[in-house]
Amino acid sequence: ESGYDCWLEYRHIENASLRENYLKRCASLAIIGGSPLLRTAGRELAHAISSMLGENPKDEAVTLIDAGAKGTIIVGTYGSSRLLEPLADVYRFDELGEEGYIIHASEDDCIYLSAASDKGVLYAVFHFIRLLQTGQSIESLRICEVPRNGLRMINHWDNMDGSIERGYAGKSIFFKDGRFIPDMSRIRDYARLLASVAINAVTINNVNVHRQESRLITDEFLPDVAKAAAIFRDYGIRLYLSVNFASTIEIGGLNTADPLDPDVTAWWKEAAANIYRYIPDFGGFLVKADSEFRPGPFTYGRNHADGANMLADAVAPFGGAVIWRCFVYNCLQDWRDRKTDRARAAYDHFMPLDGLFRDNVMLQIKNGPMDFQVREPVSPLFGGLTQTNQLLELQITQEYTGQQRHLCYLVPQWKEVFDFDTYARGERSTIAEVASGRLFGRESGGIAAVSNIGDDRNWTGHVLAQANWHGYARLAWDPGLSAEQLASEWIRMTFGLAAEPERVVKDMLLSSYDIYEAYTAPLGVGWMVNPNHHYGPNVDGYEYSKWGTYHYADCHGMGVDRTVRSGTGYAGQYHGPVVERYESLADCPDELLLFFHHVPYAHVLKSGKTVIQHIYDAHFGGADRAAELVAKWDSLASRIDADRFGQVRERLVHQAEHACEWRDMINTYFYRKSGIADEQGRVIY
Ligand code: BDP
């Protein structure tokens, strides 16, 4: 058990009475219709049932059921058979949309998996399988699900040489040596995992598009892109590509990429038409422009609406979209100038453009204003923009959260983002409501996240990091699910139904974010990491660089004053109640204190501790708790297969050691800066 199957291992159900009970209702299958998606669904269901229940379900002809067969699972799109008609008495199929579905158990022990579309049926099948995997009763099922987010996307930062930017689980599963990997079977296995958690969109190449990747949209590579797209299509997933804004120069033979230049416009129109000849359901373009040395419209004195709209017009005739990233800031800042503030940048750039983007443009906004730090406030663009489609961007790959060598279950962090109240339309204007498009009545919206997978046998390097991948996708479907629910679900699907592993692993997952935060950069200040690769502590690594990422620690205190009153004014980018909370030293939550305020080390937090004592306590405590993770995992030695047990253990041991390095470096630094001793007299060098 290498972990290759992730949460779709379909292990045999040991509990005999549970198995019998399931078998009564899963003895035969009737798949109505033969579209590719329904074939995928039928195959998956038959495979799941035979692995988990030990018997191959009979392939039931629809006519037989008509004659009154019992214990059959009936799978099909509403309208495709008389058999499904009675369901309309209970459910409104016209409200299910393209992706919703129902699961219904009838009195004669038949189970109906149905939807208004084939894709909905596929999702119903995976949901039903999940019920079996997690040991739920299937007796009186009345389930009706509709996704809360239209677009549920994964972004790969894969380069065609096979490397992955910020990848911590091996090489690309798509590319090697400048080309596609000819054997695409791993892509198929990947698509299956994605479909099981209802991901419906992927970009397969890095947002930093270099020379080779620029050519993905040319005849040289489109046949291969089309093959990959066809695999994803069988699982209800649309493929998108990251494109180089300067493609016209890079590969088009023009000397400009000015979005208002007619030659540029014509070039993109033809490029788009050509892509759609190969891939009729191509999703569209993802663009990182004018950011971290990538080309963009600024070069030509144009703004980002000009750039995005030009590309949007090229794909619009074919139903495509442009996803335009808001990660735009000056990465050549002067660290001595305390008035400039990287945190302000996205809002300052994009707010003036609100309402100017085409309907098929979505702005992709990172959860926070900086860059996926352990702790940041949410981006004020959420709730700021009201007339523009938006996508929330999260990072599953653990760039700043332990790089899949440390355990850091990110679902609790993401939940805080989704639940954050922007007050844009009064109370309960949460980010979840903004991103989905509901709050401002937008047609499209959703969630994208940077992938954490690679070609490691277990996909994510750290086996327990699979939980982040699973949790992200499930939250994208329904941000209302709780971290506890998702952790339990993932553990049962991954390690089986035994109570003890579930209790222990759940405790480990749910405490891990807190633990990681405790021994890394304190109180929301962020960035105390090694430059470039971002792994491990480095107290001043970014302090005097140009990237706009400072903690301003000196002998008196630390933190960034981002108040309107005396600082950079960033706090003023939110709505009233949020501005007040962050602006006030008394009301600002402890965990973000140093993000918004510069304070003396003796400043007393709401917790009652001084800042300096908090730093010491958090770091000693965090490192101790990291060590306890090893002990907790060890208690499962006899209950988890040796392969996965060993893989995880090795990483936890490393984490415990590395947490000590973090602890010592951060504590020592602040002890020397402040000259204030630890109240508890612990050793700090
Ligand atoms: C940062 C990464 C960098 C990415 C950039 C981005 O360090 O590798 O290219 O974000 O999102 O987190 O574009």
Side-chain angles (χ1 to χ4, degrees):
E1 291 175 83
S2 58
Y4 186 78
D5 289 320
C6 297
W7 53 88
L8 297 183
E9 202 184 300
Y10 300 153
R11 52 179 61 222
H12 185 71
I13 293 174
E14 304 291 346
N15 178 330
S17 73
L18 185 63
R19 203 172 57 240
E20 286 308 310
N21 188 296
Y22 285 166
L23 263 176
K24 265 202 301 200
R25 294 171 179 81
C26 301
S28 41
L29 289 184
I31 314 287
I32 304 164
S35 72
L37 283 174
L38 287 176
R39 279 207 302 276
T40 306
R43 251 198 332 266
E44 194 69 34
L45 190 54
H47 168 48
I49 289 174
S50 62
S51 319
M52 285 191 278
L53 307 182
E55 281 181 37
N56 291 329
K58 274 191 283 156
D59 197 353
E60 199 71 271
V62 173
T63 45
L64 266 184
I65 313 165
D66 228 0
K70 290 193 169 201
T72 299
I73 306 179
I74 300 162
V75 183
T77 311
Y78 182 72
S80 65
S81 157
R82 248 180 351 100
L83 278 176
L84 300 168
E85 260 158 44
L87 294 172
D89 299 339
V90 192
Y91 307 95
R92 296 281 314 266
F93 280 88
D94 55 345
E95 287 174 6
L96 293 179
E98 263 298 291
E99 301 186 306
Y101 57 82
I102 66 104
I103 300 180
H104 180 86
S106 71
E107 265 142 40
D108 55 1
D109 284 345
C110 283
I111 289 173
Y112 294 83
L113 307 179
S114 190
S117 70
D118 292 353
K119 205 207 268 192
V121 174
L122 178 67
Y123 292 161
V125 162
F126 276 116
H127 187 143
F128 179 70
I129 294 172
R130 186 156 69 227
L131 296 176
L132 303 183
Q133 287 179 287
T134 52
Q136 313 293 311
S137 157
I138 56 168
E139 263 161 53
S140 34
L141 296 171
R142 294 271 185 290
I143 293 172
C144 178
E145 288 266 338
V146 178
R148 301 295 283 172
N149 290 294
L151 197 69
R152 303 178 301 280
M153 179 177 235
I154 300 248
N155 293 163
H156 288 270
W157 285 358
D158 293 24
N159 303 312
M160 291 189 78
D161 65 4
S163 64
I164 302 178
E165 180 151 341
R166 313 308 177 186
Y168 311 109
K171 299 274 186 198
S172 173
I173 64 164
F174 300 105
F175 309 114
K176 192 181 173 183
D177 301 334
R179 326 200 65 78
F180 273 84
I181 297 172
D183 176 1
M184 292 196 175
S185 54
R186 184 132 192 192
I187 301 181
R188 181 168 294 280
D189 293 341
Y190 179 53
R192 169 179 173 249
L193 283 159
L194 292 184
S196 75
V197 283
I199 290 294
N200 63 6
V202 285
T203 50
I204 60 172
N205 64 307
N206 192 356
V207 286
N208 296 315
V209 184
H210 300 288
R211 183 159 256 282
Q212 186 72 351
E213 293 82 24
S214 299
R215 287 141 60 140
L216 282 168
I217 57 171
T218 65
D219 290 319
E220 183 182 358
F221 289 117
L222 278 170
D224 289 329
V225 180
K227 274 189 215 153
I231 294 173
F232 282 118
R233 184 179 305 121
D234 280 351
Y235 289 89
I237 299 161
R238 278 176 92 174
L239 184 143
Y240 294 64
L241 290 172
S242 301
V243 292
N244 182 342
F245 190 78
S247 293
T248 45
I249 301 173
E250 192 84 41
I251 55 170
L254 302 183
N255 59 12
T256 176
D258 180 351
L260 301 190
D261 182 298
D263 289 340
V264 171
T265 317
W267 188 90
W268 278 106
K269 285 207 152 89
E270 176 44 33
N274 195 37
I275 296 172
Y276 282 91
R277 268 175 231 132
Y278 287 94
I279 311 164
D281 60 349
F282 178 67
F285 300 139
L286 172 63
V287 192
K288 171 176 180 177
D290 291 315
S291 165
E292 300 182 335
F293 313 109
R294 302 314 302 149
F298 288 165
T299 311
Y300 309 96
R302 314 296 182 194
N303 66 34
H304 279 214
D306 298 327
N309 290 343
M310 182 274 290
L311 293 174
D313 291 342
V315 291
F318 312 98
V322 167
I323 301 175
W324 190 271
R325 296 178 82 229
C326 293
F327 185 60
V328 178
Y329 68 99
N330 176 10
C331 60
L332 296 175
Q333 229 163 275
D334 184 345
W335 54 268
R336 288 159 302 191
D337 177 6
R338 280 184 179 234
K339 282 200 253 1
T340 56
D341 180 5
R342 170 167 164 180
R344 296 184 56 113
Y347 188 95
D348 286 344
H349 281 301
F350 285 95
M351 275 306 284
L353 304 178
D354 191 18
L356 300 182
F357 293 92
R358 299 280 192 268
D359 283 344
N360 62 332
V361 173
M362 280 175 258
L363 293 188
Q364 181 164 310
I365 307 164
K366 288 190 182 184
N367 60 278
M370 298 299 275
D371 188 14
F372 301 133
Q373 297 302 290
V374 183
R375 175 74 64 175
E376 289 185 41
V378 302
S379 168
L381 279 174
F382 295 114
L385 297 169
T386 61
Q387 302 167 69
T388 304
N389 302 321
Q390 295 158 58
L391 280 183
L392 165 64
E393 178 177 334
L394 302 172
Q395 197 183 44
I396 317 175
T397 194
Q398 292 170 237
E399 177 176 359
Y400 296 97
T401 50
Q403 306 200 347
Q404 279 133 261
R405 301 178 75 191
H406 292 231
L407 176 63
C408 190
Y409 186 50
L410 291 165
V411 170
Q413 185 200 49
W414 299 332
K415 285 290 293 180
E416 286 184 29
V417 174
F418 280 117
D419 293 345
F420 185 87
D421 198 340
T422 65
Y423 287 89
R425 287 275 184 276
E427 273 178 44
R428 281 189 290 283
S429 301
T430 61
I431 301 259
E433 292 299 300
V434 175
S436 68
R438 264 189 308 276
L439 190 70
F440 300 115
R442 306 297 314 168
E443 287 272 307
S444 43
I447 321 289
V450 185
S451 162
N452 67 346
I453 71 117
D455 74 350
D456 274 4
R457 191 67 198 153
N458 67 16
W459 301 88
T460 52
H462 201 311
V463 174
L464 301 185
Q466 292 174 0
N468 281 330
W469 173 15
H470 161 276
Y472 160 70
R474 300 282 291 120
L475 278 183
W477 179 271
D478 180 4
L481 294 164
S482 72
E484 291 76 16
Q485 265 172 304
L486 291 175
S488 285
E489 175 182 302
W490 177 78
I491 296 164
R492 288 175 177 221
M493 293 169 84
T494 305
F495 294 114
L497 299 177
E500 190 57 8
E502 180 173 341
R503 191 186 64 76
V504 174
V505 178
K506 191 166 162 180
D507 168 54
M508 291 173 67
L509 289 178
L510 293 177
S511 58
S512 59
Y513 173 58
D514 201 44
I515 294 173
Y516 189 80
E517 181 173 25
Y519 61 74
T520 52
L523 300 167
V525 80
W527 296 108
M528 299 181 86
V529 292
N530 283 303
N532 307 318
H533 61 71
H534 299 160
Y535 191 67
N538 189 328
V539 289
D540 280 336
Y542 273 116
E543 197 54 21
Y544 308 104
S545 75
K546 293 178 180 292
W547 292 87
T549 49
Y550 314 118
H551 53 61
Y552 295 116
D554 59 18
C555 63
H556 307 292
M558 70 177 304
V560 192
D561 185 351
R562 293 193 161 103
T563 62
V564 179
R565 202 177 44 255
S566 53
T568 70
Y570 166 78
Q573 294 183 335
Y574 295 94
H575 289 278
V578 184
V579 179
E580 281 162 33
R581 190 189 322 145
Y582 289 152
E583 189 75 12
S584 141
L585 195 51
D587 294 339
C588 183
D590 284 352
E591 68 273 15
L592 284 171
L593 187 76
L594 301 179
F595 193 94
F596 285 102
H597 298 274
H598 186 86
V599 297
Y601 294 108
H603 173 82
V604 179
L605 296 167
K606 286 211 237 318
S607 68
K609 291 182 187 179
T610 60
V611 166
I612 190 72
Q613 194 55 41
H614 168 91
I615 292 175
Y616 297 151
D617 290 350
H619 286 80
F620 281 112
D624 288 349
R625 290 164 74 204
E628 285 162 21
L629 290 174
V630 183
K632 286 178 181 171
W633 184 248
D634 279 347
S635 75
L636 299 176
S638 61
R639 294 169 194 266
I640 287 182
D641 54 280
D643 191 349
R644 288 186 299 183
F645 180 81
Q647 291 181 39
V648 172
R649 186 169 201 284
E650 209 181 289
R651 286 176 196 247
L652 291 173
V653 168
H654 166 75
Q655 176 179 1
E657 283 164 11
H658 199 220
C660 294
E661 189 180 325
W662 268 101
R663 174 197 65 197
D664 294 341
M665 214 179 279
I666 301 280
N667 279 348
T668 301
Y669 178 76
F670 287 112
Y671 172 55
R672 291 190 187 170
K673 284 265 164 182
S674 69
I676 302 173
D678 172 31
E679 281 170 3
Q680 295 192 38
R682 287 163 292 199
V683 180
I684 300 174
Y685 296 95

